[in-house]
């Protein structure tokens, strides 16, 4: 058994308090491999941003949970070596069972999400409460994120055909009865690179899809019901068309890609939204650079030469997010 303090990690409690009062959101970036982790740490150190490094069930299967834990420990040491002691959280993304959450907590995660959003309201409360009781009773308090409302979108383990916006009249009871530290809500974001069907969007003069706006009215009503309580947005990639175009230019097929406009995320980050999850944009950035290098330098076969431009692009993307979208830069 490992406690997260032994790995140099922190939970989200103080970070969220500061983010809510400071009008910014913490970046929550997923990682599965060395290059993603390097890009996250380099970008967050250079922008002096606290960071939440997220591990999904898919990442655990892909990379091995022991390796991931030790990579997180290494990431903290790497940040120190780069000269900035940024707060680092290791968070389980979309935990779906008590057992999985317990396993992560006992192996050194400082924060977990229990995603009971596909259960009934009562079952969601019961499951979330069990995770909270376990997490909060540890010698080192582990923070817990719950979810109310369902995001549409399809992405491996996280899938739903239709979204159900969070009902503001449920949030107070959920937060009180479960004791969660933060709440993920559904206001129109969704997972993956096709966040809306073309028929839900309009098109600009160039035929580019323009998505319907996020439901800020629901967010405001939720904030009125639970003032100052930390809110989380999943599915918050913006799906930059520059990356989509590079991928398509070099043989990829990414029809009907559409994300959440960055101005809307910036607006959300100024509210009680204090954690914004971004994964797909990073996948696009890396894939764009990998396809470009492979096409332009067909003689190259050293993976380091293929992956380092992808890692550099990812770092650039994360720096941009921290500075211009989340507002988390210079907050340590
Ligand atoms: O919300 C899901 C994240 O993007 C993680 O995706 O389950 O494919 O690792 P994954
Ligand atoms: P995106 O697919 O929009 O990047 O969302 C990631 C996410 O919510 C991880 O939990
Ligand atoms: Zn998510």
């Amino acid at each position: 058994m490992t406690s997260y303090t032994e790995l140099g990690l922190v939970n989200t409690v103080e970070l969220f308090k500061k983010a809510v009062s400071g009008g910014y959101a913490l970046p929550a970036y997923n990682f599965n491999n060395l290059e993603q982790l390097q890009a996250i740490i380099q970008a967050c150190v250079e922008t002096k941003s606290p960071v939440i490094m997220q591990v999904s069930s898919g990442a655990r299967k892909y990379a091995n949970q022991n390796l991931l834990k030790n990579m997180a420990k290494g990431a903290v040491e790497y940040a120190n070596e780069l000269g900035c002691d940024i707060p680092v959280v290791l968070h389980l993304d979309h935990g779906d069972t008590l057992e999985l959450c317990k396993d992560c907590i006992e192996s050194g995660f400082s924060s977990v999400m229990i995603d009971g959003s596909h259960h009934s309201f009562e079952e969601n409360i019961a499951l979330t409460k069990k995770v909270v009781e376990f997490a909060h009773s540890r010698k080192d308090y582990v923070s817990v994120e719950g979810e109310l409302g369902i995001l549409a979108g399809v992405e491996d383990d996280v899938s739903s055909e239709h979204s159900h916006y969070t009902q503001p009249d449920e949030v107070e009871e959920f937060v009180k009865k479960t004791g969660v530290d933060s709440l993920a809500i559904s206001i129109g974001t969704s997972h993956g690179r096709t966040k809306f069907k073309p028929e839900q969007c309009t098109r600009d003069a160039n035929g580019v899809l323009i998505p319907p706006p996020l439901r800020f009215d629901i967010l405001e009503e939720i904030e009125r019901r639970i003032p100052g309580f930390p809110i989380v947005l999943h599915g918050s990639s913006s799906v930059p068309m520059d990356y989509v175009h590079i991928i398509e230019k070099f043989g990829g097929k990414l029809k009907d890609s559409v994300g959440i406009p960055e101005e809307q995320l910036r607006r959300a980050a100024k509210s009680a939204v204090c954690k914004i999850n971004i994964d797909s944009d990073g996948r696009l950035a890396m894939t764009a650079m990998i396809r470009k290098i492979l096409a332009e330098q067909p003689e190259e076969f050293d993976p380091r030469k293929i992956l380092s431009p992808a890692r550099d692009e990812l770092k650039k993307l994360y720096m941009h997010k921290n500075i211009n979208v989340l507002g988390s830069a210079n907050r340590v």
Side-chain angles (χ1 to χ4, degrees):
M1 261 199 275
T2 312
S3 172
Y4 65 86
T5 51
E6 294 164 39
L7 306 179
L9 301 162
V10 297
N11 68 29
T12 58
V13 177
E14 287 307 312
L15 298 179
F16 283 171
K17 266 191 210 152
K18 283 191 199 162
V20 172
S21 63
Y24 63 94
L26 268 80
Y29 299 134
N30 291 69
F31 79 100
N32 302 262
N33 62 33
L34 174 70
E35 288 76 14
Q36 289 172 322
L37 194 59
Q38 288 174 314
I40 292 171
I41 294 299
Q42 289 168 6
C44 292
V45 163
E46 267 186 51
T47 56
K48 296 192 170 57
S49 169
V51 65
I52 299 174
M53 309 186 310
Q54 306 201 126
V55 169
S56 68
S57 300
R60 275 169 53 106
K61 278 184 217 135
Y62 176 77
N64 179 280
Q65 52 156 330
N66 274 323
L67 267 178
L68 288 173
K69 173 181 92 179
N70 285 295
M71 284 167 78
K73 179 170 183 272
V76 174
E77 290 168 14
Y78 181 42
N80 292 344
E81 188 190 314
L82 291 178
C84 186
D85 209 357
I86 55 170
V88 179
V89 176
L90 180 62
H91 176 79
L92 169 66
D93 192 24
H94 293 285
D96 57 350
T97 62
L98 174 62
E99 291 65 38
L100 174 59
C101 292
K102 276 185 176 172
D103 198 41
C104 287
I105 290 168
E106 287 179 339
S107 75
F109 282 59
S110 57
S111 176
V112 293
M113 174 189 195
I114 176 69
D115 181 355
S117 61
H118 292 80
H119 296 293
S120 70
F121 183 61
E122 288 72 26
E123 285 166 355
N124 189 357
I125 289 179
L127 174 62
T128 305
K129 191 167 184 283
K130 279 187 200 149
V131 173
V132 168
E133 279 166 2
F134 184 81
H136 288 183
S137 67
R138 312 292 296 172
K139 183 168 68 65
D140 294 315
Y141 183 106
V142 172
S143 37
V144 180
E145 174 184 324
E147 177 161 340
L148 260 186
I150 298 177
L151 274 66
V154 177
E155 190 169 3
D156 294 351
D157 292 347
V158 185
S159 69
S160 175
E161 183 64 14
H162 304 288
S163 72
H164 302 277
Y165 296 126
T166 306
Q167 294 176 34
D169 57 4
E170 288 184 345
V171 294
E172 207 178 338
E173 185 182 349
F174 185 84
V175 162
K176 254 197 203 132
K177 287 192 171 163
T178 59
V180 281
D181 302 282
S182 60
L183 181 67
I185 61 166
S186 172
I187 56 166
T189 62
S190 71
H191 294 104
R193 65 160 183 94
T194 50
K195 299 199 181 296
F196 302 94
K197 298 201 174 79
E199 55 272 25
Q200 294 175 290
C201 304
T202 52
R203 285 190 192 266
D204 71 8
N206 301 316
V208 175
L209 293 171
I210 310 294
L214 294 182
R215 292 290 304 269
F216 282 99
D217 56 326
I218 298 179
L219 174 59
E220 280 158 21
E221 186 54 28
I222 290 171
E223 286 189 88
R224 208 178 61 73
R225 306 278 180 129
I226 44 171
F229 192 80
I231 301 295
V232 177
L233 284 189
H234 282 248
S236 296
S237 278
S238 297
V239 188
M241 281 303 134
D242 288 354
Y243 293 143
V244 171
H245 292 148
I246 295 172
I247 291 170
E248 290 185 326
K249 178 175 169 194
F250 294 108
K253 289 192 168 63
L254 297 180
K255 196 167 172 280
D256 296 337
S257 296
V258 59
I260 309 295
E262 288 186 338
E263 330 63 89
Q264 292 186 38
L265 296 167
R266 184 71 204 101
R267 179 175 163 193
K270 287 182 178 154
S271 71
V273 170
C274 62
K275 171 175 180 274
I276 292 191
N277 289 14
I278 297 171
D279 187 12
S280 297
D281 283 356
R283 297 178 183 196
L284 291 166
M286 290 195 91
T287 300
M289 290 309 125
I290 290 168
R291 276 196 180 272
K292 186 169 186 293
I293 298 286
L294 289 176
E296 288 179 348
Q297 299 175 33
E299 74 290 353
E300 188 54 71
F301 72 101
D302 181 344
R304 294 170 300 185
K305 302 259 171 63
I306 297 163
L307 290 173
S308 38
R311 181 182 62 196
D312 293 347
E313 190 61 39
L314 192 56
K315 174 186 169 188
K316 202 172 103 191
L317 172 80
Y318 289 152
M319 289 183 68
H320 160 71
K321 297 282 181 188
N322 293 352
I323 296 166
N324 302 312
V325 183
L326 310 172
S328 67
N330 296 311
R331 302 288 186 171
V332 295

